Amino acid sequence: MSTKLSVESRCIHLQEDDRAARYGAISFPIYQTATFAHPGLGQSTGYDYSRVQNPTREQLEKIVASLEHGTDAIAFSSGMAAVAVTAELFGPGDHILADRDLYGGTTRFFRSVCEKNGIEFTYIDFSTEDPEDYIKPNTKAFFVETPTNPMMNITDIRKTAVTAHAHGALLIIDNTFMSPYLQNPLDLGADIVIHSGSKYLAGHNDVIAGFTVTKSEELTEKLRFINKTTGANLAPFDSWLILRGIKTLAVRLDRAQENAQKLARWLQEKKGIVTKVIYPGLEEHPGHDLHLRQAKGPGAMLSFDTDSPERVAQILGRIRLIQYAESLGGTETLLTYPLTQTHVDVPPEELERNGITDRTLRMSVGIENCDDIINDLDQAMGEA
């Protein structure tokens, strides 16, 4: 292909794609094999053992790297495996500045595994606090989500990258909420981008996966060595499922984002029942302008507070179209209760400081007809 493809087309096609090598197959094959035969002593087909590399996984990695404008992507068995392998870049005595409002599983991993192994963490609000005030001589990285999970705080990626690099630290961005369709942190100065591939990239709530993406050959070599050594790779069939899911990433997110914008406005009108709506697409959101300077849209994730924990229980017990479940980014609309699900292991004082209460719900808006989503929420919120 002689011209550079748009992001929508790159969800489906690699810039250079040799279909002849797979007999003209439109769907990339699943190479469901653990090992590969060698033509002879000292010879290789380029694939030796699927823990190291597999053609189906390699195709997926090329697609994700292309979408994130990186030079390499690595596919893992889960998003947490991607975080864990990235954490292996650091060791005892190193210091990491981490966002205070992270996915609870990431915070749990930092506290229960990394800190036990001698890595020091300081948790700050990157959206309002200056990381310069917390840097130490041993600071090696900043770990940020933007928007954060679940409070949708927005961090200035460009500015944060400048600060990190001025002190010789890496900037690691978890880009799961936005996906590479809406935001490309590497273009804004980030060094490593992490995704839970289970979410928007797969898009159908049927596979667990994770990714790291970089532009640095040095970081790539380190991450691939750690990945090969620990064996946290994505299986061929799961790789194929995500290849299939990514083909509709653009159209899914366009629809889900449109629904989320309408839903956020509707929630604002439910005064007395809904006390706060947090969505970057609302002009009232404190990070609205900044977010739209560094992303192509507000996304399809939102959070809202109800008037009481009893109302939360009522809503979760009465929804029918919407489903009460963890995860996000699929075709279905999901409601999550952070207090007992995604953030159950976060200490109560930190939940309170971050604004996560027993009245907070997080919503992953799907691609159903928006009127149906609204009607379901409306009947669930009504008087019991």
Side-chain angles (χ1 to χ4, degrees), residues 53-361:
Q53 191 53 287
N54 175 284
T56 313
R57 187 167 73 237
E58 183 179 53
Q59 178 79 356
L60 172 62
E61 290 173 344
K62 287 179 178 178
I63 291 275
V64 173
S66 171
L67 293 175
E68 274 292 10
H69 306 163
T71 56
D72 192 42
I74 304 173
F76 298 90
S77 55
S78 70
M80 286 312 305
V83 173
V85 167
T86 301
E88 289 294 327
L89 295 171
F90 312 102
D94 288 344
H95 173 245
I96 295 176
L97 275 181
D99 206 300
R100 212 166 60 197
D101 183 42
L102 295 175
Y103 164 56
T106 302
T107 302
R108 178 177 59 226
F109 174 74
F110 288 166
R111 293 186 182 279
S112 64
V113 178
C114 296
E115 290 184 5
K116 181 185 69 175
N117 291 336
I119 301 175
E120 178 188 358
F121 286 82
T122 300
Y123 297 90
I124 70 170
D125 183 347
F126 275 90
S127 69
T128 60
E129 297 181 272
D130 187 351
E132 191 82 47
D133 297 335
Y134 299 89
I135 289 172
K136 301 181 179 182
N138 58 335
T139 301
K140 302 297 182 183
F142 297 177
F143 192 103
V144 176
E145 293 175 355
T146 180
T148 59
N149 181 0
M151 301 310 288
M152 310 293 164
N153 299 327
I154 307 301
T155 293
D156 189 327
I157 299 174
R158 290 184 181 89
K159 183 179 178 181
T160 306
V162 169
T163 303
H165 296 158
H167 294 273
L170 299 175
L171 175 59
I172 304 165
I173 300 285
D174 185 328
N175 198 33
T176 299
F177 270 23
M178 285 289 98
S179 89
Y181 177 60
L182 292 179
Q183 183 169 265
N184 299 118
L186 293 178
D187 292 346
L188 304 172
D191 299 287
I192 299 173
V193 170
I194 291 177
H195 286 278
S196 172
S198 322
K199 311 307 191 286
Y200 288 107
L201 292 172
H204 293 79
N205 289 319
D206 57 7
V207 63
I208 302 293
F211 294 91
T212 61
V213 192
T214 70
K215 283 184 176 180
S216 162
E217 184 176 337
E218 180 184 2
L219 285 174
T220 291
E221 288 180 0
K222 289 179 179 179
L223 289 169
R224 283 208 174 272
F225 179 80
I226 297 166
N227 190 34
K228 175 181 72 172
T229 304
T230 59
N233 313 87
L234 192 62
F237 184 67
D238 291 340
S239 298
W240 180 83
L241 283 174
I242 300 180
L243 278 172
R244 184 176 65 165
I246 286 177
K247 290 183 179 183
T248 59
L249 173 65
V251 291
R252 284 187 286 106
L253 253 174
D254 282 344
R255 176 59 175 269
Q257 183 173 251
E258 179 185 344
N259 283 349
Q261 192 80 45
K262 293 178 183 177
L263 195 60
R265 290 295 182 202
W266 179 83
L267 284 167
Q268 284 186 315
E269 296 172 1
K270 298 295 288 184
K271 301 186 186 304
I273 295 176
V274 175
T275 60
K276 178 166 53 171
V277 182
I278 312 169
Y279 178 60
L282 296 173
E283 291 81 0
E284 301 89 336
H285 189 291
H288 171 79
D289 292 342
L290 169 60
H291 179 74
L292 294 185
R293 287 199 300 272
Q294 61 189 22
K296 295 187 282 291
M301 295 297 301
L302 60 85
S303 294
F304 62 94
D305 282 355
T306 65
D307 58 338
S308 67
E310 291 76 20
R311 184 79 67 179
V312 166
Q314 175 187 319
I315 292 169
L316 295 178
R318 292 179 61 177
I319 49 176
R320 295 294 177 262
L321 175 75
I322 301 164
Q323 296 176 69
Y324 169 31
E326 296 191 46
S327 201
L328 60 103
T331 54
E332 302 86 1
T333 298
L334 303 181
L335 264 179
T336 300
Y337 192 36
L339 202 65
T340 62
Q341 292 180 299
T342 56
H343 291 69
V344 66
D345 292 321
V346 177
E349 64 275 11
E350 293 188 19
L351 291 171
E352 182 179 1
R353 184 171 59 175
N354 291 346
I356 303 170
T357 73
D358 56 4
R359 298 175 291 107
T360 303
L361 287 167

